[in-house]
Amino acid sequence: MIRIADEVAAALAAGRPVVALESTLVAHGLPFPQNLETARALEAAVRTGGAIPATIAVVDGEARIGLDDATLERLARGGREFVKAGAADLAVAIARGSSAATTVSGTALLAHRAGIAVFATGGLGGVHRGDDDDVSHDLVALAELPILVVCAGAKAFLDLPRTVERLESLGVLLLGWRTRELPAFYSRESGIALEHRVDSADEVARMLRARFGLLGQGGVLLACPIPDAAAVAPDFVADFVADAETAAAGVSGKARSPAILAKLARRPELLHANRALAVENARVATEVAVAYAALPA
Ligand code: PSU
Ligand code: MN
């Protein structure tokens, strides 16, 4: 059973804008208490922009679309209680009555099942460096589901050129928000050129309608650069990523990204940047959700 919070259900029924938010970023991407503060800031950014936030997680076996503040706090404090679940893992938590934080793939699937088309996160999963076989399910899920994911590109410690190639092979539409360069999570620049720059939320909304309606296609990725004030210089990031990767050398599979992020979050400027980019993505996603809901039928 999918349990949709009253406020979210009412908005969906009335065709008002809703923005999905994910829970792995909260439970496994940022340390407590900054994770709770960020989760609340993401919801606040969506409300300020005129939409209803729907943070998604599996709680005691129930797929939940929209969490109350007490549950958000339980998620943020939860540590191991909320296992990291991609789309493939959701059934395990649901069948066992356990709890799970949902990744981009898990969140996108549940958002889609609930009828939500716009979703904001921090950074997408992708192809890990040095291991072309370690590819996040995020990419495939995005290709299959008619959903918009707004993110600051893929996370900085991934192989960005290979991630972009993979998105292209999968047929994901990759758009740059007011940029022709793929953002690199903590930094605004990656050196990777994007074919499609978009400048208005309305333009993105019309692309979504063409993809999801007329063409019957899957996901769109809107890559949104971190705000200037919080951005970190690429060489500075590169040094810390190298250290974090060394520290996480023995960690593979699902635990790998959280282990690297945990190490990176010890640098105050990177922790601050991660929060700032996630909030910016929520803000931009809200603009698009509002424009999408306002499109004439
Ligand atoms: N963005 C962040 N922090 C995160 C994530 C995104 O700022 O922790 C999460 C998302 O849930 C994404 C996951 O789906 O990291 C990717 O994990 P992996 O590389 O194991 O696929
Ligand atoms: Mn992985």
Side-chain angles (χ1 to χ4, degrees):
M1 198 82 74
I2 293 187
R3 186 162 134 205
I4 305 180
D6 291 347
E7 181 190 32
V8 176
L12 289 171
R16 291 197 305 268
V18 174
V19 175
L21 300 167
E22 61 134 315
S23 45
T24 291
L25 162 74
V26 180
H28 300 279
L30 296 167
F32 184 83
Q34 288 88 350
N35 60 349
L36 178 57
E37 194 274 321
T38 301
R40 288 176 174 152
L42 296 173
E43 296 209 341
V46 173
R47 287 187 197 282
T48 301
I52 301 296
T55 302
I56 293 180
V58 180
V59 184
D60 303 324
E62 222 172 23
R64 299 266 299 265
I65 315 294
L67 304 179
D68 53 80
D69 195 67
T71 309
L72 212 56
E73 181 160 347
R74 183 175 150 197
L75 172 76
R77 288 180 181 277
R80 300 288 162 261
E81 185 198 359
F82 285 83
V83 297
K84 178 177 165 185
D89 313 307
L90 290 173
V92 177
I94 291 169
R96 290 186 177 154
S98 58
S99 298
T102 50
T103 66
V104 168
S105 70
T107 308
L109 177 62
L110 290 175
H112 171 62
R113 302 290 293 175
I116 303 171
V118 177
F119 164 25
T121 182
L124 192 70
V127 183
H128 278 277
R129 289 188 196 162
D131 187 354
D132 291 359
D133 290 328
D134 187 350
V135 181
S136 175
H137 182 61
D138 286 358
L139 305 186
V140 178
L142 183 52
E144 288 171 350
L145 296 164
I147 196 152
L148 172 73
V149 176
V150 182
C151 66
K155 279 175 293 211
F157 49 84
L158 298 169
D159 186 326
L160 298 184
R162 284 200 168 82
T163 299
V164 169
E165 290 294 343
R166 197 62 73 104
L167 286 168
E168 190 186 315
S169 305
L170 288 164
V172 173
L173 172 59
L174 175 54
L175 304 172
W177 178 251
R178 299 181 179 159
T179 181
R180 278 204 174 274
E181 181 173 356
L182 182 76
F185 201 60
Y186 304 119
S187 318
R188 294 176 64 88
E189 51 281 286
S190 66
I192 299 170
L194 295 177
E195 183 179 354
H196 305 294
R197 170 187 167 134
V198 289
D199 287 280
S200 81
D202 187 57
E203 191 181 13
V204 179
R206 282 182 277 116
M207 290 177 191
L208 299 186
R209 187 168 63 177
R211 290 268 306 183
F212 305 160
L214 181 75
L215 302 167
Q217 287 174 307
V220 178
L221 192 69
L222 180 59
C224 175
I226 182 173
D228 252 322
V232 184
D235 12 336
F236 187 84
V237 174
D239 285 349
F240 289 114
V241 165
D243 284 352
E245 291 215 290
T246 309
V251 187
S252 62
K254 267 186 170 174
R256 185 161 176 79
S257 293
I260 297 173
L261 283 169
K263 184 82 179 154
L264 292 171
R266 291 196 203 155
R267 293 296 313 184
E269 51 283 77
L270 298 184
L271 180 56
H272 177 254
N274 200 342
R275 177 198 186 281
L277 66 87
V279 171
E280 176 69 359
N281 295 338
R283 198 189 63 72
V284 172
T286 304
E287 272 191 48
V288 176
V290 168
Y292 192 53
L295 284 180

